[in-house]
Amino acid sequence: MADPRQRLPGNAPGRWFVDASCIDCDQCRQIAPEVFVAQGETSVVARQPADPLRAAMAQVTCPTASIGGGSKEEVAAAVAALPERIEGEVYFCGFASEKSFGGSSYLIRRPDGNVLVDSPRFTEPLVKRVEAMGGARWMLLTHVDDVADHAKWRDRLGCERVMHRAEGLDVEVPVDGVHALAPDLLVIPTPGHTEGHVALLHADRYLFTGDHLWWDGDVLGASRTYCWHSWEEQRRSMERLRAYRFAWVLPGHGARGMSKDMPRALDDLIRRMA
């Protein structure tokens, strides 16, 4: 639980606050941007929420329990709202894990078996919600940074974990190159951030990008600072994405969003990466 004694000085007066344990993962600012803003290397409450649901969703998603203020009723409503539908049968799981520095994870509901993309925190309320939504046939792990509680999810759901061999994790479905899990699920190697980083393309519309690619305001972004393997290889991986059709970018870190002209947005990023 957040500690009121460690309340950061930049918080607006009122019951909602962020304490000094914040790791600046950005989840709260993604979930409730009208409430939370950046302050240095932390987030703070810029204004007390008029509608507490989204603030409470940020509270239960926070990987370090750094947000305080929600009542039992508000927190219960937030738990019931997760996973949250993004579009169609694609959902944001919430409940981020400190083990993945607060990375986002997603659930794809499909008649032929659901997919978890990267690992959320293993916590009973979320586990029960995912089970009620059909569990998971596969867990796609984009790279080794965001595996979090993958083994616990595997043991509970019986899902097969999918990951590139180069990441060095013993999984049920190791992949080397482009790999079709199903007609609507394509694993695409995107080395650069790590040696064996992959993205998952679903239904030629949703690209789950791990730490390879995200939205940075109105443009696509990538980080040279947080590139652990090869920036040049990451740029080449970005160029290879030109061969695929998608409208959504759903990352592990950074903002998710869609574009009606993704090729233009991707080309603009590739030019800037050079």
Side-chain angles (χ1 to χ4, degrees):
M1 294 178 64
D3 185 350
R5 297 169 299 178
Q6 298 295 318
R7 181 183 180 120
L8 290 167
N11 285 291
R15 64 185 172 102
W16 291 89
F17 68 95
V18 179
D19 76 12
S21 65
C22 173
I23 59 173
D24 195 27
C25 72
D26 192 37
Q27 285 286 4
C28 64
R29 303 195 298 268
Q30 297 289 340
I31 295 169
E34 72 284 359
V35 176
F36 300 95
V37 298
Q39 176 182 272
E41 295 183 354
T42 66
S43 293
V44 294
V45 173
R47 58 195 63 82
Q48 295 293 317
D51 179 355
L53 176 60
R54 299 213 62 84
M57 290 170 68
Q59 181 173 345
V60 301
T61 295
C62 178
T64 49
S66 302
I67 298 171
S71 67
K72 284 186 177 180
E73 293 76 17
E74 289 164 346
V75 168
V79 169
L82 293 165
E84 179 186 28
R85 187 192 302 271
I86 297 171
E87 181 188 86
E89 291 300 321
V90 174
Y91 297 79
F92 167 63
C93 290
F95 292 94
S97 171
E98 188 174 7
K99 297 173 187 175
S100 60
F101 202 79
S104 295
S105 56
Y106 304 92
L107 178 70
I108 309 169
R109 294 186 76 186
R110 323 169 45 256
D112 295 332
N114 297 346
V115 185
L116 274 169
V117 181
D118 287 328
S119 173
R121 191 186 335 146
F122 187 87
T123 183
E124 200 64 23
L126 179 61
V127 174
K128 289 180 178 179
R129 290 277 295 159
V130 170
E131 288 176 329
M133 296 172 74
R137 179 177 176 183
W138 292 293
M139 172 179 275
L140 185 284
L141 299 170
T142 58
H143 66 300
V144 74
D145 296 346
D146 289 357
V147 299
D149 293 327
H150 68 99
K152 292 180 179 179
W153 284 99
R154 162 73 179 97
D155 292 344
R156 177 68 170 262
L157 300 181
C159 54
E160 293 185 316
R161 294 162 295 179
V162 183
M163 195 177 202
H164 199 284
R165 290 184 192 276
E167 296 298 272
L169 197 67
D170 185 19
V171 298
E172 291 72 34
V173 185
V175 300
D176 291 305
V178 176
H179 180 91
L181 280 175
D184 63 325
L185 296 169
L186 189 67
V187 182
I188 304 169
T190 50
H193 175 73
T194 61
E195 184 179 0
H197 195 290
V198 299
L200 178 68
L201 179 61
H202 170 51
D204 289 334
R205 181 164 179 82
Y206 308 99
L207 187 70
F208 300 87
T209 58
D211 289 353
H212 176 67
L213 174 66
W214 55 83
W215 283 102
D216 184 3
D218 294 331
V219 297
L220 291 173
S223 173
R224 190 167 193 157
T225 302
Y226 297 103
C227 178
W228 313 133
H229 176 61
S230 167
W231 182 245
E232 287 306 313
E233 187 63 33
Q234 188 165 345
R235 184 176 184 272
R236 287 192 291 271
S237 294
M238 214 71 75
E239 290 174 338
R240 286 192 289 272
L241 289 178
R242 287 169 165 156
Y244 301 97
R245 185 176 64 188
F246 55 95
W248 278 89
V249 165
L250 300 115
H253 290 94
R256 59 183 175 267
M258 68 169 295
S259 172
K260 294 181 179 179
D261 192 0
M262 192 63 76
R264 180 204 57 77
L266 192 59
D267 283 344
D268 173 66
L269 172 60
I270 291 166
R271 285 193 295 271
R272 286 184 280 114
M273 289 180 74

